Amino acid sequence: MTNTMMSVREKIYWAIKPWHGKKYARIYDIVMLIAIAVGILPLMFRYHYEAFWYLNLFSGFCFVLDYILRWMTADFEMKKYRKWESFVWYPFTPMAIIDLLSILPVFNLLNPTFKVARLTRLLMTLRVFKAIRYFEPLEIVLSVIRSQRKILLTVLSLALFYIFITALIMFNAEEDINPETGKYLFETFFEAFYWAACTLTTVGYGDLYPISSIGRVISIISSMVGIAIIALPSGIITAGYMDEQRIRREKKEPHSK
């Protein structure tokens, strides 16, 4: 009996595992993506329509079933824990928390007295993050960020330090009065920090810009260095993405036969 149950749970695990490759797994992925899409559809409208009630009911049912099935098969996914520990720890994993919070709006659907409209709509936005599990390229990027987090945190620290230094220099260098406003260009250090961040990332909103010659020189240097700093994480993520994709392809091949 135990072996039979294990076999059934194993089949369920491979059925709900994204990008497994088998036909029934692909069908499950498509159904869940449809449930996610119809679950966030009401968020694109200011007014509530009757059809949304049925769409929410369908998506809510799919989310509840998916949560239960994933909890039932947690031991297959969380192999670093003992079997009973995996069932205990699964509800506290990031994706399980998102799954649970995205289910909560269903209670408002079934019982209108449990109604906090703004909170309900906010929780419904979390359903977008459920798509990460079924959108392989994005999930791979997140895996790369997790594996390369030390290097990426170093680059982020470098970027923040450079933004701070540039903002400090610009805040003290740009002392000319803006003729359009009659005030300093940077009234507060936060405005200088905001400008430095926009310049480093080459966003350039145009709401703040230097008017003195020295300020423009600093802006040119900041932009040139910003291109180099922004390019660092792009190269790290790209290299990691290719390696992660190759590893997943090799793992997936035995199960797709």
Side-chain angles (χ1 to χ4, degrees), residues 20 32 52 71 73 94 103 109 113 117 121 140 150 155 187 221 239 244 248 251 253:
H20 177 219
M32 287 305 302
F52 291 162
W71 200 350
T73 58
I103 290 171
L109 180 69
T113 58
R121 290 180 69 87
I140 291 177
K150 291 184 178 179
V155 175
E187 286 289 329
I221 296 173
E244 184 72 16
R248 291 182 179 226
K251 288 182 178 179
E253 285 174 357

Side-chain angles (χ1 to χ4, degrees), residues 212-256:
S212 66
S213 297
I214 187 171
R216 290 174 178 175
V217 170
I218 295 172
S219 180
I220 292 171
I221 296 173
S222 179
S223 299
M224 293 176 66
V225 175
I227 295 173
I229 294 178
I230 293 300
L232 287 175
S234 300
I236 295 170
I237 292 175
T238 300
Y241 184 92
M242 300 302 293
D243 290 339
E244 184 72 16
Q245 196 174 40
R246 176 181 54 79
I247 293 171
R248 291 182 179 226
R249 191 184 303 114
E250 291 174 355
K251 288 182 178 179
K252 192 185 297 184
E253 285 174 357
H255 299 291
S256 59

Side-chain angles (χ1 to χ4, degrees), residues 4-227:
T4 304
M5 289 301 295
M6 284 296 293
S7 177
V8 171
R9 288 200 313 113
E10 243 180 325
K11 289 179 180 178
I12 292 174
Y13 169 73
W14 288 113
I16 64 177
K17 188 174 178 63
W19 330 300
H20 177 219
K22 289 190 176 181
K23 186 176 180 180
Y24 58 83
R26 290 195 297 268
I27 293 174
Y28 186 87
D29 292 348
I30 293 172
V31 171
M32 287 305 302
L33 284 172
I34 293 173
I36 293 169
V38 301
I40 63 176
L41 184 63
L43 298 176
M44 302 176 188
F45 296 85
R46 287 292 182 190
Y47 302 100
H48 181 77
Y49 298 96
E50 186 178 353
F52 291 162
W53 189 90
Y54 297 100
L55 293 177
N56 273 323
L57 187 63
F58 166 74
S59 62
F61 172 78
C62 291
F63 296 155
V64 171
L65 180 62
D66 182 67
Y67 185 83
I68 293 173
L69 293 179
R70 292 187 184 282
W71 200 350
M72 283 173 50
T73 58
D75 54 321
F76 293 108
E77 185 68 24
M78 305 174 67
K79 295 181 179 179
K80 64 179 180 179
Y81 298 105
R82 285 179 290 183
K83 185 175 179 179
W84 67 271
E85 290 179 334
S86 61
F87 295 114
V88 173
W89 286 110
Y90 175 76
F92 301 99
T93 58
M95 284 305 300
I97 293 173
I98 291 175
D99 289 343
L100 182 60
L101 291 176
S102 65
I103 290 171
L104 291 182
V106 178
F107 292 101
N108 179 40
L109 180 69
L110 299 177
N111 185 7
T113 58
F114 180 78
K115 186 173 184 179
V116 183
R118 187 173 297 240
L119 178 60
T120 299
R121 290 180 69 87
L122 183 62
L123 291 175
M124 287 176 68
T125 59
L126 293 176
R127 295 176 178 180
V128 176
F129 294 98
K130 289 175 66 66
I132 294 174
R133 183 183 284 132
Y134 304 98
F135 186 47
E136 187 172 13
L138 182 57
E139 206 277 335
I140 291 177
V141 170
L142 293 178
S143 296
V144 172
I145 292 174
R146 284 194 295 267
S147 62
Q148 302 293 334
R149 60 183 178 275
K150 291 184 178 179
I151 299 175
L152 293 174
L153 283 174
T154 302
V155 175
L156 177 62
S157 301
L158 174 63
L160 290 174
F161 178 75
Y162 184 78
I163 290 172
F164 176 79
I165 294 297
T166 306
L168 192 63
I169 294 172
M170 181 63 83
F171 184 70
N172 289 277
E174 189 66 29
E175 294 184 337
D176 293 354
I177 299 296
N178 190 334
E180 296 181 1
T181 61
K183 299 179 180 179
Y184 287 111
L185 176 63
F186 303 115
E187 286 289 329
T188 63
F189 181 75
F190 176 77
E191 291 180 344
F193 193 88
Y194 164 77
W195 167 87
C198 292
T199 304
L200 180 72
T201 55
T202 67
V203 174
Y205 289 118
D207 52 344
L208 291 174
Y209 53 88
I211 56 178
S212 66
S213 297
I214 187 171
R216 290 174 178 175
V217 170
I218 295 172
S219 180
I220 292 171
I221 296 173
S222 179
S223 299
M224 293 176 66
V225 175
I227 295 173

